[in-house]
Amino acid sequence: MSRDDILPLIAAWDGEGVVVRYDKPTDTWIFIAFHSSRLGRPTGGTRLRVYPDLRAALRDAMRLAEGMTSKWAGLGVRYGGGKAVLAIRRPLDAADRRGLMLRYGELLETLGAFYTGADLGTGPDDMVHMARRTRCILGVDSAGHATDPGPYTARGVAAGLRSALRHRFGDASPAGRRILIQGLGGVGAPLARRLAAEGAELLLCDLESAKAEALAVETDGRIVPVDRVYTEPCDVFAPCAIGGILDRRTIAMLACQIVVGSANNQLDGEDDADRLRKWGILYVPDYIVNAGGALTFSLMADGVRDEDELAGRVDAIGSAVADILAEADVAGTTPLVAARRRVDRLLARSADED
Ligand code: PHE
């Protein structure tokens, strides 16, 4: 992959810019995508993974940054959209990873323009390392203790899921509903535990089968093999791993009533929302329902520490989802369009306040 292949992608993007840094000791490419600072300082998670190529890594950073702009606007939080990707070549051992995090932290401190926290592939430990080099971290307090956004995100997804169940079946309870969770990581695992406690019948799938097995024992769930994740009949399909998984091919395979999960950018393209609607599947827009972690970080940055208050604010994601689903029905559009309109209204309103 030559450099020349990725530069035009950056030039063609409608975001504000991309910072590219190569970390020689670990052979890692770092992309920090700044999408919009219209509402405030670009803020979003840092993702770490092996990508098929650099284009895929850069595209992911740019698309995720766009999603953050919508996420903050949808929450009414005055932060901007940004996201970082650490495109590692192969899994790193603990010492290499720590070194990468320290150097990446130094870069963020030099820039002083992007605030970040955990995302897919990174966790509270990484943030603690970075926080030794930079103030540009959300969710690490002055004592160096890191908050994991995952359980808060899971709480918001569960609230949105209840609204979607009520919308579709007239009953919000997950009890007895078959819920298939794809990806049992930072959000998928706490979501599974929460739904199991509410009596859901869990179907669990993860690329790491040991993860699925352990959680299946714990939650009395059933394991779904990776090659059946899109075809397995269920009431709710909850994507909680990577994005871009819902496309023409997979949507035609789905045997569910509702799609609601935490993964960012679940749709391959915008027309996939129409496709889901045509197949009679209720799709809850990801950036609305997965905003619990981001919301919690923004509240904590404002000094809110009370767990009941945080929980109450995250649960309100359920009402936002209910409003969007109702608005989509009234307008005869997809929930994605209804969510977009809501975000545009909020963006216009905050622009008026400026
Ligand atoms: N990565 C999570 C998200 O996309 C949580 C997070 C939000 C982390 C904002 C940092 C900043 O919502």
Side-chain angles (χ1 to χ4, degrees), residues 47 108 114 118 133 141 173 187 218 226 243 246 252 283 348-349:
R47 174 166 294 201
L108 293 190
F114 171 67
R133 294 285 189 273
D141 65 21
S173 172
V187 182
E218 190 189 326
V226 172
L246 298 171
Y283 168 68
R349 200 180 308 155

Side-chain angles (χ1 to χ4, degrees), residues 42-85:
T43 306
T46 293
R47 174 166 294 201
L48 178 144
R49 55 170 283 218
V50 177
Y51 285 89
D53 55 48
L54 282 185
R55 285 174 83 86
L58 172 62
R59 276 220 181 83
D60 208 23
M62 295 191 303
R63 246 196 118 192
L64 289 163
E66 275 174 67
M68 281 314 300
T69 301
S70 304
K71 199 180 288 191
W72 294 126
L75 289 168
V77 171
R78 297 189 67 90
Y79 286 167
K83 200 98 180 191
V85 157

Side-chain angles (χ1 to χ4, degrees), residues 43-45 68 71-72 83 115-119 138 149 264 290 293-294 297:
T43 306
M68 281 314 300
K71 199 180 288 191
W72 294 126
K83 200 98 180 191
Y115 277 63
T116 197
D119 192 70
L138 297 180
N264 282 307
N290 71 12
F297 277 173

